[in-house]
Amino acid sequence: MSSPELSKKVFALNTGHTVPAIGLGTWQSKPGEVEKAVEAALRSGYRHIDTAAAYGNEAEVGAGIRASGVPRAEIFLTTKLHNQWHTRVSEALGQSLQKLQTTYVDLYLIHWPCATDPNDSTKVVPDWDYVQTWVEMQKLLETGKVKSIGVSNFGISHLERLLHHPSCRVAPAVNQIELHPNRPSPKLVAYNTAKGIHSTAYSCLGSTGSPLYQNQALLDLAQAKGRSVQQVLIRWGLQKGWSVIPKSVNADRIRDNLAVDGWELTGGEMAAIDAIPQRFKVCDGSFLPPVMHDKIFYGDDE
């Protein structure tokens, strides 16, 4: 797979729009750091910025976009519906747009297939689930305030139910899921692809304090390629066919994460990464209502 300009690659969505292959993730970025990180990313050449209402940093993301000087029309902006706003989708989007200081987002995602009580995050909303939320999400497409809609943290079971429900008129454009060598989820990725749903990888580097940085197979491969482990992980994900949103607030690392052009991983090197046996999940849903845990993770992704 030779691609000298992989850093500028875009993936086609089922809506007719495209998403840049590499974006900046902002989950777990500390307050006061996000604005500068977004500005640095856009000035370095990134054109996809990912945020969420739950991250509490949409206002900083918007400020970083404005500070960068990059025209809004050149930026693919993703944000997500907070679990406690499933019954108020339009209102939630309005709040996100206000914080981001933009009139539209390129992609709006249901963050989790879980509608939690607005007044008590340990409880779920009775008689409401993500299928009803999707009905409200579909209505947003008529407003011009979103270009594409999708989901995040949805498994095969969730998507099967959603796609086969009579109310589903529009298939999700994207399923944003945790993807890295210790969480490759091949069955889920294959399902997404078969249904025309693009996969975006969050925590593609294994998140803060990632054990992947100490994995000997990755260290040896990075040394042989003259690259960092982070660059190898990003290149692996891109060659797998999904977009990646590595998170960093360090301007140098943000720039380095974009250095994926002019080299590639061979079939053997890809297979060696695929063969890494360890498994772990960064985002285990422990913050969700206890009653939902078995309904979120079915173990059907591998």
Side-chain angles (χ1 to χ4, degrees):
M1 177 182 173
S2 179
S3 180
E5 291 295 323
L6 196 56
S7 63
K8 294 183 175 62
K9 180 179 174 63
V10 297
F11 290 103
L13 301 180
N14 60 22
T15 57
H17 298 292
T18 58
V19 58
I22 303 177
L24 178 74
T26 61
W27 179 46
Q28 295 185 323
S29 295
K30 296 178 182 178
E33 296 179 333
V34 177
E35 178 181 345
K36 291 181 179 179
V38 169
E39 180 182 358
L42 292 171
R43 289 181 182 274
S44 296
Y46 287 70
R47 288 299 180 266
H48 180 192
I49 305 296
D50 179 89
T51 183
Y55 302 166
N57 61 22
E58 288 174 313
E60 278 198 64
V61 167
I65 289 173
R66 293 190 298 277
S68 74
V70 175
R72 172 68 183 89
E74 296 181 12
I75 301 167
F76 189 99
L77 180 58
T78 299
T79 195
K80 309 177 191 76
L81 176 72
H82 196 292
N83 297 343
Q84 291 176 292
W85 288 79
H86 275 230
T87 60
R88 301 167 290 166
V89 172
S90 179
E91 185 181 351
L93 175 63
Q95 289 203 7
S96 289
L97 294 177
Q98 184 176 21
K99 291 174 182 176
L100 290 163
Q101 289 295 291
T102 185
T103 58
Y104 72 97
V105 291
D106 297 272
L107 180 64
Y108 195 48
L109 305 177
I110 297 178
H111 205 156
W112 289 87
C114 176
T116 56
D117 188 320
N119 300 310
D120 186 349
S121 62
T122 67
K123 299 178 180 178
V124 297
V125 177
D127 303 318
W128 188 279
D129 69 10
Y130 61 88
V131 172
Q132 292 159 285
T133 308
W134 191 249
V135 170
E136 299 305 310
M137 292 283 287
Q138 291 176 135
K139 294 177 183 177
L140 299 178
L141 292 170
E142 303 166 4
T143 68
K145 296 177 181 179
V146 301
K147 290 190 175 182
S148 301
I149 55 174
V151 297
S152 182
N153 298 299
F154 273 49
I156 294 173
S157 299
H158 302 113
L159 290 168
E160 274 285 281
R161 180 166 175 262
L162 177 63
L163 292 172
H164 289 94
H165 197 276
S167 65
C168 182
R169 298 180 291 101
V170 178
V174 169
N175 187 12
Q176 186 182 120
I177 52 179
E178 181 177 335
L179 286 173
H180 49 74
N182 289 157
R183 191 74 183 187
S185 302
K187 288 184 179 178
L188 178 53
V189 171
Y191 180 91
N192 289 341
T193 301
K195 298 298 182 180
I197 301 170
H198 176 71
S199 298
T200 293
Y202 75 76
S203 294
C204 58
L205 304 180
S207 198
T208 305
S210 173
L212 289 166
Y213 300 160
Q214 283 75 50
N215 183 279
Q216 196 59 51
L218 288 171
L219 287 168
D220 291 345
L221 180 54
Q223 183 176 21
K225 305 298 285 190
R227 300 289 169 175
S228 68
V229 169
Q230 290 90 333
Q231 289 168 336
V232 168
L233 289 170
I234 290 169
R235 182 83 203 195
W236 175 78
L238 295 174
Q239 289 186 209
K240 281 286 191 179
W242 55 66
S243 53
V244 297
I245 47 172
K247 169 257 176 182
S248 180
V249 294
N250 180 285
D252 290 336
R253 285 196 291 270
I254 287 170
R255 184 176 59 252
D256 289 345
N257 286 344
L258 202 62
V260 294
D261 294 335
W263 62 284
E264 64 183 333
L265 296 171
T266 66
E269 290 165 341
M270 290 289 290
I273 298 174
D274 291 344
I276 292 174
Q278 295 85 5
R279 293 290 180 266
F280 80 92
K281 187 163 179 59
V282 173
C283 203
D284 61 4
S286 57
F287 56 88
L288 297 170
V291 70
M292 289 301 298
H293 196 271
D294 290 340
K295 296 180 181 179
I296 297 293
F297 303 113
Y298 290 100
D300 60 358
D301 58 350
E302 290 214 43

